[in-house]
Amino acid sequence: MMMPEESRRAAAFFINQIDALIKKPVRFMEVCGTHTVSIFRSGIRQLLPEKVDLVSGPGCPVCVTPNDYMDMAIAYAKRKDTIIATFGDMLKVPGTSSSLNEAKAQGADVRIIYSPLDVLQISQENPQKQIIFLAVGFETTAPLTAVTVQTAMAQHINNFFILSSHKWTNAPIDALLSDPQIKVDGFLLPGHVCVITGEKSFDFVADKYRKPAVVTGFEALDILQAVYMLARQVNTGQIQIENAYKQVVKPEGNRVAQSVIKEVFDSVPAKWRGFGTIEASGMILKDKYAQYDALQQIPVEKEISRENPVCRCGEILKGLIKPTQCPLFKKTCTPDKPAGACMVSVEGTCHAWYKYGQGRYHYGR
């Protein structure tokens, strides 16, 4: 990867400092799919000393969406009076025995949209149909879903619904740190989520679990700087939540976005792939907006959900194994025909390992 000379010097400084500060092997986890891709594309794993192991966590919302949700979405898609509106990366996510792609091939009306607000236009153009939006994502996408629901109410649109799988990012980190199986020495926190929530929403990582964490951006130097800051905390023992992305992340976050989420959604227990049910980790519509909740308004029978017993996506999301340790990886599980959700999204850990492998990447080559 080619870099300007000044950036090369900065990268070399961070790498040398990390090597000097870390005295024994450590595992740092990124909980953002964009970080995972950036780490691979820039070859950061190969640049860091071997005693620093970067581990991918539950940072891809597509990946953590369980089969139960996909089976429900597929059941709705099979209804003749229903249009499913979704972001494109949900089409290939496998449910128990099918996918939205397969349902679409069999005649289901499944449409790719680029913004939740697009769904309102589909609703207005198809008044005889029930339009269900697959609302999947973390705090970064929840505000726009909330605004879409409010807009639907203001415009008296009655054939628009959401199937919510919005989730809070801090919940799985808490679950990970509560699990004695998980050995993580620090976290790279997602900058775009913290734009919404603020860095204070992750204070529990340092206060409750005494683990360092750094909010960071998505360029290679951003990530190297964050690893350096984690190494410095490990070395000094001065554990805290640091913000290396202050140009866009404020301690209190985006109050407007937080307000619209609070207005529209309640926090509830939610299922996560690999984690089971985590308390207060999901978002459902408040009673005021219950008329737009597909589960409440449109009863449907779905198949009994089961996870693929051979797919090890759940363990990968918890950082217990690497994708290469899954028996399906690169064999019967590929981006063209994924057996597990972690292979679907471009931000999925398995997809990143498949695309970039573990080849040597060097700045300036």
Side-chain angles (χ1 to χ4, degrees):
M1 173 180 174
M2 296 299 296
M3 296 183 72
E5 184 59 34
E6 183 178 350
S7 297
R8 287 168 60 89
R9 287 198 297 269
F13 168 81
F14 289 136
I15 293 164
N16 290 334
Q17 287 295 306
I18 291 164
D19 192 27
L21 289 167
I22 297 296
K23 305 302 182 183
K24 60 181 181 179
V26 294
R27 300 177 86 233
F28 296 146
M29 175 178 282
E30 82 271 3
V31 284
C32 172
T34 308
H35 282 156
T36 298
V37 173
S38 183
I39 287 167
F40 269 103
R41 290 182 63 185
S42 54
I44 288 176
R45 277 191 178 86
Q46 288 73 32
L47 292 169
L48 292 172
E50 289 187 4
K51 55 190 170 182
V52 178
D53 185 17
L54 294 185
V55 185
S56 301
C60 163
V62 174
C63 303
V64 300
T65 301
N67 280 9
D68 182 74
Y69 178 89
M70 294 311 305
D71 292 339
M72 186 65 69
I74 293 163
Y76 279 127
K78 291 178 178 179
R79 291 169 57 97
K80 298 299 182 184
D81 63 347
T82 300
I83 297 173
I84 297 294
T86 180
F87 297 120
D89 51 7
M90 295 299 294
L91 266 68
K92 288 185 178 181
V93 180
T96 297
S97 60
S98 183
S99 68
L100 285 172
N101 243 354
E102 291 175 34
K104 183 177 175 65
Q106 294 166 7
D109 195 343
V110 180
R111 304 188 188 184
I112 296 175
I113 51 95
Y114 299 95
S115 165
L117 291 170
D118 295 341
V119 187
L120 299 186
Q121 183 175 346
I122 297 173
S123 300
Q124 291 170 322
E125 292 172 349
N126 298 271
Q128 77 287 3
K129 296 278 191 175
Q130 294 174 320
I131 318 302
I132 299 178
F133 169 54
L134 304 187
V136 174
F138 297 134
E139 296 92 337
T140 48
T141 53
L144 190 49
T145 298
V147 168
T148 303
V149 171
Q150 291 177 322
T151 304
M153 178 171 281
Q155 296 181 359
H156 305 289
I157 297 174
N158 298 316
N159 63 331
F160 160 76
F161 307 90
I162 74 166
L163 183 62
S164 179
S165 186
H166 282 305
K167 290 178 166 63
W168 297 102
T169 309
N170 54 8
I173 297 178
D174 199 350
L176 282 167
L177 290 170
S178 300
D179 187 340
Q181 279 189 291
I182 310 300
K183 307 299 180 185
V184 178
D185 300 293
F187 290 90
L188 300 172
L189 298 176
H192 52 1
V193 167
C194 292
V195 168
I196 305 297
T197 66
E199 61 195 77
K200 289 185 176 297
S201 66
F202 294 94
D203 280 350
F204 71 92
V205 177
D207 296 343
K208 180 179 178 181
Y209 294 104
R210 302 303 301 157
K211 299 291 183 182
V214 178
V215 179
T216 186
F218 306 97
E219 299 299 323
L221 279 181
D222 294 333
I223 295 170
L224 282 173
Q225 180 185 15
V227 175
Y228 158 67
M229 293 167 75
L230 287 174
R232 188 173 58 191
Q233 288 194 49
V234 169
N235 181 272
T236 63
Q238 296 178 353
I239 305 303
Q240 59 184 310
I241 307 301
E242 291 190 275
N243 184 359
Y245 206 33
K246 290 182 179 180
Q247 63 269 38
V248 293
V249 174
K250 307 305 177 187
E252 69 280 3
N254 185 324
R255 294 284 176 80
V256 174
Q258 292 169 19
S259 177
V260 73
I261 293 175
K262 185 176 181 180
E263 160 66 21
V264 173
F265 289 108
D266 279 327
S267 295
V268 293
K271 293 180 181 177
W272 295 65
R273 190 182 300 274
F275 290 79
T277 299
I278 303 177
E279 292 297 319
S281 65
M283 305 181 202
I284 64 165
L285 293 176
K286 288 180 177 288
D287 289 344
K288 177 181 177 180
Y289 299 99
Q291 70 191 79
Y292 301 108
D293 187 326
L295 285 178
Q296 292 192 49
Q297 303 302 328
I298 311 173
V300 69
E301 291 290 329
K302 71 171 185 65
E303 65 180 309
I304 298 173
S305 298
R306 297 182 302 276
E307 299 293 332
N308 185 332
V310 184
C311 172
R312 302 185 70 182
C313 187
E315 294 166 88
I316 291 166
L317 290 168
K318 296 172 79 170
L320 290 170
I321 66 168
K322 291 180 169 61
T324 49
Q325 294 172 270
C326 176
L328 304 181
F329 181 71
K330 278 192 173 182
K331 298 181 179 70
T332 58
C333 184
T334 67
D336 290 333
K337 193 172 182 180
C342 295
M343 186 62 86
V344 177
S345 171
V346 293
E347 295 188 344
T349 304
C350 292
H351 190 284
W353 279 69
Y354 185 96
K355 184 174 182 179
Y356 298 105
Q358 295 192 77
R360 304 296 296 181
Y361 301 92
H362 294 278
Y363 290 106
R365 293 191 182 181

